[in-house]
Amino acid sequence: MASSSATAAALVWFRRDLRLHDNPALWAAVRSGRPLVCAFIDDPDAVAQLAPGRASRWWLHHSLAALSRSIRQRGGQLVLRRGDTTSELVRLCGETGSSEVFWNRGDNPTRDSGDTALAARLADRGVKARGFASGTLFNPATHLNGSGKPYRVFTPFWKACLRAPEPSAALPAPDRLPGAAVTASDNLEDWSLRPQAPDWASGFSQDWEPGEDGALNRLEAFLANELADYPQSRDRPDEDGTSRLSPHLAWGEISPRTIWHTVRDHAERGGSFQGGEKFLSELGWRDFAIYLAHHFGSLRDENFNRQFDHFPWRSNPAGLDAWKRGQTGIPIVDAGMRQLWTTGWMHNRVRMITASFLIKHLGVHWRDGMAWFEDTLVDADLNVNAASWQWVAGSGADAAPYFRIFNPVTQGERFDPQGLYVHRWVPELTGLSGKAVHAPWTRPANELIAAGISLGQTYPAPVTDLKTGREQALDAYQTMKARAAETPEAASLETALGN
Ligand SMILES: Cc1cc2nc3c(=O)[nH]c(=O)nc-3n(C[C@H](O)[C@H](O)[C@H](O)COP(=O)(O)OP(=O)(O)OC[C@H]3O[C@@H](n4cnc5c(N)ncnc54)[C@H](O)[C@@H]3O)c2cc1C
């Protein structure tokens, strides 16, 4: 079906790699010397691609607009198509005479196995698929422990990565993208990617600059202003101490190895490397989540530690609803959930606190919290999100033990000591300051009246008593252990998880 002439176009299929620099698939297509067709396909039914949530689709809209501009400036065109991926790729090849499709692999077991099947379907139609790796610092297939098995614990995994050769240098953005004869494209506006009912994302633009330029600007600003203090300030939600590169990474607007080398070059150019090691190790956690999915399959659907299959989760729709709306009456939890809703992002420390509160104090399955984050985070990443939720739940790899239950009040006092983060997102409580803001229900009536707070009226009373919630969580954990011990597979599981 496709033309075999030397001038047949090369089709570059963009996915979660919406960038021109350090894009190996694009680079190889340019080097093939053929005219290019750059395409993005919105496949609503692609289970294999796992459709992004609503906040991510807001990001996608703006990121595609930015990518389209950059491609146009270099003489090409970004073609947008909506429909079944295979059919659209085949159709595009037919329309443009392409005989090869270049893409960067999915970094997700579901997507990768979908890719293999897709490559076979394309081969049947005479189209060659060329896949490249670009989404991680280190190849997830490479590092195994002394017994030849995949690591289950982060520290030895990361040490092994650091002993390996450094990630190769990032590729530059091509100067020119010689476009093939223009082919029809959907109109981005017609895709209605931005949330409409309700349009809660209208304020996101104040916080974010989606697109490759936004990503590179963010990295430069972070290196100049925040990197040196990162090891201390990264845990403080009341400070701007982290890079906020996560949505750019989630959409592939910047590659991890670009970050790696820019951080290292920054030190060599006379900047400080202070903070660099810690910062790069956080990127290592991202690699680890992808590594786990690569070796053990998606963590989205199954407990990594199968003992948790016996966990007695509670049905608590009212609690889940209050949590989503930032109306639990626990200030640091409500602040985090409102930051998420308003900006599409939440500080890492507060993600841990909010997730722990939902799972442990409210007894709600981690999968329900994960689904809400997938829908509302602009940085929603199926591997990282699932691994992180399971980490908090205690069911994941190298997870925090379930019985270590965060107390949201002491967490707030420690990481938001003046209550500034809570004040920002829960303005009802600005009349209280310091530690008092984290536990309004413990304050004397006259103090609350002076602060203009009436619990249950101006701000909710706690949805659960923290002590009771904690005890219920520990009871549930004991129930799980007892149930798991009764199952025949329990002993072998204990052994398997021990390495
Ligand atoms: C319950 C829960 C859910 C999460 N869901 C996501 C998600 O869907 N997408 C996502 O990108 N991150 C997720 N994280 C990890 C982390 O919270 C975010 O990556 C981080 O807050 C992003 O902000 P930043 O870019 O300023 O991070 P920085 O501190 O500047 O870190 C730099 C980069 O390292 C990576 N990183 C940092 N912390 C982690 C971590 N704990 N695990 C894996 N990678 C990390 C991210 O890619 C991040 O952009 C989740 C954490 C928790 C506890």
Side-chain angles (χ1 to χ4, degrees):
M1 64 101 58
S3 159
S4 60
S5 100
T7 55
L11 175 56
V12 184
W13 174 33
F14 283 88
R15 314 160 83 190
R16 283 190 173 245
D17 51 3
L18 303 179
R19 62 175 184 272
L20 302 186
H21 74 276
D22 199 28
N23 185 328
L26 176 67
W27 187 253
V30 169
R31 290 190 49 135
S32 75
R34 297 161 187 262
L36 298 188
V37 180
C38 298
F40 182 90
I41 298 168
D42 185 40
D43 184 345
D45 299 323
V47 178
Q49 290 202 33
L50 298 167
R54 288 173 296 166
S56 293
R57 289 175 82 74
W58 175 89
W59 191 282
L60 176 62
H61 173 94
H62 294 285
S63 193
L64 287 174
L67 180 68
S68 177
R69 278 194 300 276
S70 302
I71 293 177
R72 232 184 0 255
Q73 282 160 5
R74 289 170 169 79
Q77 182 203 3
L78 180 65
V79 177
L80 303 177
R81 291 288 172 90
R82 178 170 269 178
D84 169 69
T85 302
T86 312
S87 314
E88 290 304 324
L89 284 176
V90 168
R91 191 168 298 138
L92 277 165
C93 286
E95 287 171 18
T96 59
S98 309
S99 55
E100 285 187 307
V101 184
F102 295 75
W103 72 64
N104 293 309
R105 286 194 282 272
D107 295 324
N108 173 303
T110 319
R111 278 197 289 258
D112 285 338
S113 62
D115 283 7
T116 308
L118 174 61
R121 286 195 295 276
L122 290 174
D124 288 345
R125 317 286 272 268
V127 176
K128 188 170 167 196
R130 302 205 31 204
F132 297 82
S134 81
T136 51
L137 289 169
F138 298 95
N139 179 348
T142 312
H143 300 294
L144 300 173
N145 67 18
S147 326
K149 290 188 177 158
Y151 291 101
R152 292 165 181 269
V153 177
F154 174 73
T155 303
F157 160 79
W158 189 233
K159 281 188 178 157
C161 292
L162 294 179
R163 281 195 302 272
E166 275 201 85
S168 51
L171 298 162
D175 292 333
R176 297 271 313 143
L177 296 173
V182 173
T183 189
S185 169
D186 290 358
N187 184 344
L188 181 58
E189 290 297 331
D190 295 341
W191 279 7
S192 303
L193 293 173
R194 288 166 289 187
Q196 281 161 357
D199 173 15
W200 88 89
S202 54
F204 285 9
S205 309
Q206 288 164 17
D207 290 280
W208 303 107
E209 185 192 352
E212 185 167 15
D213 290 347
L216 296 170
N217 292 341
R218 191 81 277 285
L219 177 58
E220 282 305 323
F222 173 70
L223 293 183
N225 304 320
E226 287 123 13
L227 177 69
D229 292 330
Y230 178 78
Q232 296 75 41
S233 58
R234 62 180 288 272
D235 255 332
R236 291 286 299 267
D238 55 342
E239 295 176 9
D240 281 338
T242 68
S243 72
R244 295 187 180 232
L245 281 166
S246 50
H248 299 288
L249 277 160
W251 281 107
E253 296 169 351
I254 191 164
S255 70
R257 64 181 181 182
T258 295
I259 299 177
W260 175 281
H261 288 292
T262 313
V263 170
R264 295 206 163 267
D265 292 351
H266 174 72
E268 277 163 25
R269 289 197 318 255
S272 169
F273 190 61
Q274 197 186 329
E277 211 168 305
K278 181 69 191 155
F279 178 63
L280 293 179
S281 79
E282 292 304 319
L283 278 183
W285 275 99
R286 179 180 175 278
D287 259 38
F288 188 51
I290 295 166
Y291 175 90
L292 290 172
H294 177 87
H295 288 283
F296 300 103
S298 171
L299 269 65
R300 269 182 97 237
D301 306 315
E302 307 272 4
N303 291 304
F304 186 80
N305 175 347
R306 301 306 295 269
Q307 280 198 332
F308 277 75
D309 292 355
H310 302 280
F311 198 90
W313 299 107
R314 269 186 273 158
S315 165
N316 188 350
L320 177 61
D321 186 56
W323 179 81
K324 286 181 181 175
R325 290 186 298 112
Q327 296 288 341
T328 65
I330 309 294
I332 190 97
V333 172
D334 292 341
M337 298 310 295
R338 295 182 196 186
Q339 180 182 34
L340 173 62
W341 182 254
T342 312
T343 68
W345 184 88
M346 194 199 296
H347 188 277
N348 180 59
R349 169 61 48 183
V350 192
R351 291 187 203 206
M352 292 195 281
I353 299 169
T354 54
S356 171
F357 181 74
L358 182 75
I359 294 168
K360 297 182 182 173
H361 287 94
L362 298 183
V364 173
H365 200 300
W366 57 262
R367 218 181 277 135
D368 292 329
M370 178 189 74
W372 183 248
F373 272 31
E374 271 180 12
D375 196 23
T376 54
L377 275 171
V378 285
D379 67 23
D381 175 303
L382 302 179
N383 293 316
V384 178
N385 197 35
S388 302
W389 273 91
Q390 290 220 41
W391 185 89
V392 176
S395 60
D398 200 5
Y402 178 89
F403 51 79
R404 225 177 269 159
I405 297 176
F406 274 177
N407 179 324
V409 175
T410 47
Q411 287 285 313
E413 290 171 356
R414 185 161 165 214
F415 296 108
D416 181 28
Q418 278 105 43
L420 301 178
Y421 177 74
V422 168
H423 285 173
R424 179 156 181 220
W425 297 108
V426 189
E428 305 95 289
L429 298 178
T430 38
L432 293 175
S433 53
K435 287 185 173 183
V437 81
H438 293 293
W441 61 92
T442 62
R443 310 315 299 171
N446 59 350
E447 189 181 336
L448 290 179
I449 292 168
I453 298 166
S454 165
L455 289 181
Q457 305 276 324
T458 61
Y459 181 68
V463 284
T464 184
D465 169 62
L466 292 179
K467 188 161 172 286
T468 313
R470 183 172 193 282
E471 284 165 3
Q472 285 174 335
L474 292 173
D475 286 348
Y477 182 61
Q478 292 308 330
T479 305
M480 175 197 82
K481 286 213 317 189
R483 285 182 185 169
E486 285 163 15
T487 63
E489 74 271 24
S492 58
L493 267 172
E494 286 292 354
T495 318
L497 290 166
N499 81 344

